[in-house]
Amino acid sequence: MKKRGGRGDRSPLGTWFWDIDRMLLLLTLCLIAIGLIAVAAASPATAVRYSGEHHKLTPLYYFWRQVMWVGVSLPVLFGVSMLPVPVARRMALTGAAVLVVLLALTPLIGVNVNGAKRWIGYGFAQFQPSEFLKPMFIVTVAWLLSLKSKDESLPTVLITGALTGGIAVLLMLQPDFGQTVIFCTVWMALLMIAGTPMRVLLGIVGMVPVGLVAAYLFYGTARARIDAFLFPDVEGEGAADHFQVDAAHRTLTAGGWTGTGPGGGSAKFGLPEAHTDYIFSVIGEEFGLIACMIIALVFLAIVVRVFVKLLDEQDEFKLLAASGLAVQFGAQALVSMAVNTGLAPSKGMTLPFISYGGSSMIALSIGMGLLLAFTRRNPFLTRSPYVVRWSGE
């Protein structure tokens, strides 16, 4: 009999362990651990900001809540990563349908937080439908595009474009310009990976400047943030956005290359949303720019690892789904870091697995679980039955 825990262990848990991309899982767990340290560093500043005369938050209030969210998210990540591909696909398609309905209801019944209605629910049960929709949307678009190989007549570009456009409109009603950019970016990336004709891609790319001009002219949120980014002296709503970007840059560079040390930062106390949107700046102040570069490299390593893993993937759906999830993960990290460094306008984008937040943490765990499920490989399936390795016995 084969010993349990060895390569011959074909139990469900043993199969999962040997088929999973353990390096990808390890890099993800490293980000979660880094996130706990970062939230612990940012928690005192946020606790001071949100404490009132009659309501005092403990310095590590947000850290302990994040520990709770990690405790909830890890079983979700492992559980989803164990799903067979057909089950994971059906789950994502069903989830996408339900979440699109909830996204449509959000501007009507959503909770107003900082001037935006992005949350549904009450009290502890509040969640952000757009966060959960991202991985489900990617799998849905990947499935639709993969149908093209079975029926060339299917207008998959139009179908997925209509789906993306509808979601973009719903997001802009909240308003959530940052998430709109992520959804559209992932859709474009999936079209390119799926081999969409160049003339179609060029036509879509040509519409981007038109869309940006229209957003600037007719969408107040986009105009305010673009003005704040391009014109530092702008007044009104844009001035608040520019203040946030300036505060983030000052905090990021306050610690120099090596940082002030854990708990030694002071600039973070003037930073809005230090535990979520601007947590990368807190890391820069307390742990230094070198630590920031290491974190950026971890994100890059995850994306590169996925694409290298997919180089010999034969299943078109798995190729598209895993690629899209990797693009979304990398794009969200890139946008968040760009905002913190002053290279992009403020968008309210969290840093994956590092920023505080229950919706974000659980949704990212679902997305990474799906990514691990779609990149699972059984090494014995690709081994030729006609090749026998002589053992010398």
Side-chain angles (χ1 to χ4, degrees):
M1 294 180 63
K2 299 291 186 182
K3 292 183 178 179
R4 286 192 174 272
R7 287 187 176 273
D9 183 359
R10 291 290 94 188
S11 66
L13 186 59
T15 300
W16 170 83
F17 179 78
W18 292 112
D19 293 354
I20 203 78
D21 188 334
R22 293 184 297 279
M23 179 55 69
L24 185 57
L25 178 60
L26 178 62
L27 290 171
T28 302
L29 294 177
C30 284
L31 280 181
I32 293 174
I34 292 170
L36 287 175
I37 297 171
V39 172
S43 183
T46 307
V48 169
R49 176 172 288 271
Y50 287 107
S51 291
E53 183 179 352
H54 305 291
H55 180 63
K56 298 290 184 181
L57 298 178
T58 61
L60 293 180
Y61 173 80
Y62 291 97
F63 167 73
W64 291 117
R65 286 177 64 90
Q66 186 72 349
V67 170
M68 178 194 68
W69 288 124
V70 169
V72 172
S73 301
L74 284 178
V76 172
L77 189 155
F78 287 118
V80 174
S81 70
M82 294 179 181
L83 295 177
V85 171
V87 176
R89 180 172 59 236
R90 285 195 295 270
M91 181 197 76
L93 295 176
T94 304
V98 172
L99 287 164
V100 166
V101 174
L102 292 177
L103 191 67
L105 293 174
T106 302
L108 302 175
I109 63 173
V111 180
N112 194 316
V113 179
N114 295 331
K117 286 187 176 182
R118 303 173 186 173
W119 301 80
I120 281 182
Y122 180 77
F124 187 80
Q126 287 183 12
F127 71 99
Q128 197 170 347
S130 60
E131 289 286 354
F132 290 89
L133 180 59
K134 277 186 291 190
M136 310 298 182
F137 162 82
I138 292 166
V139 176
T140 301
V141 171
W143 174 68
L144 290 170
L145 292 176
S146 69
L147 296 177
K148 187 76 171 180
S149 61
K150 300 176 182 178
D151 187 351
E152 287 290 334
S153 64
L154 285 174
T156 52
V157 175
L158 290 177
I159 295 171
T160 57
L163 175 63
T164 306
I167 290 173
V169 171
L170 294 175
L171 287 170
M172 292 173 75
L173 289 175
Q174 294 184 359
D176 196 341
F177 188 59
Q179 296 284 22
T180 305
V181 171
I182 294 296
F183 275 87
C184 294
T185 299
V186 173
W187 175 61
M188 279 293 299
L190 284 174
L191 290 183
M192 289 188 285
I193 296 169
T196 303
M198 186 58 66
R199 58 183 177 80
V200 177
L201 291 176
L202 290 176
I204 296 173
V205 171
M207 294 172 61
V208 172
V210 177
L212 289 175
V213 172
Y216 184 83
L217 294 176
F218 304 109
Y219 187 50
T221 301
R223 180 169 59 252
R225 292 188 171 180
I226 292 172
D227 283 346
F229 181 70
L230 296 177
F231 311 110
D233 297 328
V234 69
E235 297 181 356
E237 183 183 351
D241 285 341
H242 192 76
F243 162 76
Q244 293 178 5
V245 173
D246 284 347
H249 186 268
R250 284 195 303 270
T251 306
L252 178 71
T253 56
W257 289 104
T258 56
T260 60
S266 57
K268 65 183 180 182
F269 286 93
L271 188 62
E273 306 301 330
H275 61 320
T276 53
D277 302 348
Y278 297 104
I279 198 165
F280 193 65
S281 294
V282 176
I283 295 171
E285 180 181 21
E286 298 207 348
F287 301 97
L289 296 177
I290 294 176
C292 291
M293 288 189 289
I294 292 173
I295 291 171
L297 288 175
V298 174
F299 282 112
L300 178 62
I302 288 175
V303 175
V304 171
R305 175 74 181 182
V306 173
F307 279 97
V308 169
K309 186 90 172 180
L310 295 173
L311 286 176
D312 59 346
E313 179 59 63
Q314 300 300 311
D315 188 308
E316 186 168 1
F317 166 72
K318 289 168 66 176
L319 172 65
L320 290 170
S323 299
L325 289 166
V327 169
Q328 179 254 315
F329 186 80
Q332 183 170 332
L334 183 63
V335 169
S336 179
M337 290 186 287
V339 170
N340 277 257
T341 54
L343 297 176
S346 175
K347 288 185 175 64
M349 190 71 64
T350 58
L351 191 59
F353 288 122
I354 293 181
S355 293
Y356 168 86
S359 285
S360 177
M361 182 62 67
I362 297 175
L364 285 164
S365 295
I366 293 173
M368 185 54 69
L370 289 170
L371 183 53
L372 289 166
F374 295 142
T375 54
R376 285 172 60 183
R377 297 284 182 87
N378 185 339
F380 297 102
L381 293 180
T382 55
R383 184 175 297 172
S384 172
Y386 303 104
V387 177
V388 178
R389 184 171 297 173
W390 178 252
S391 63
E393 296 180 1

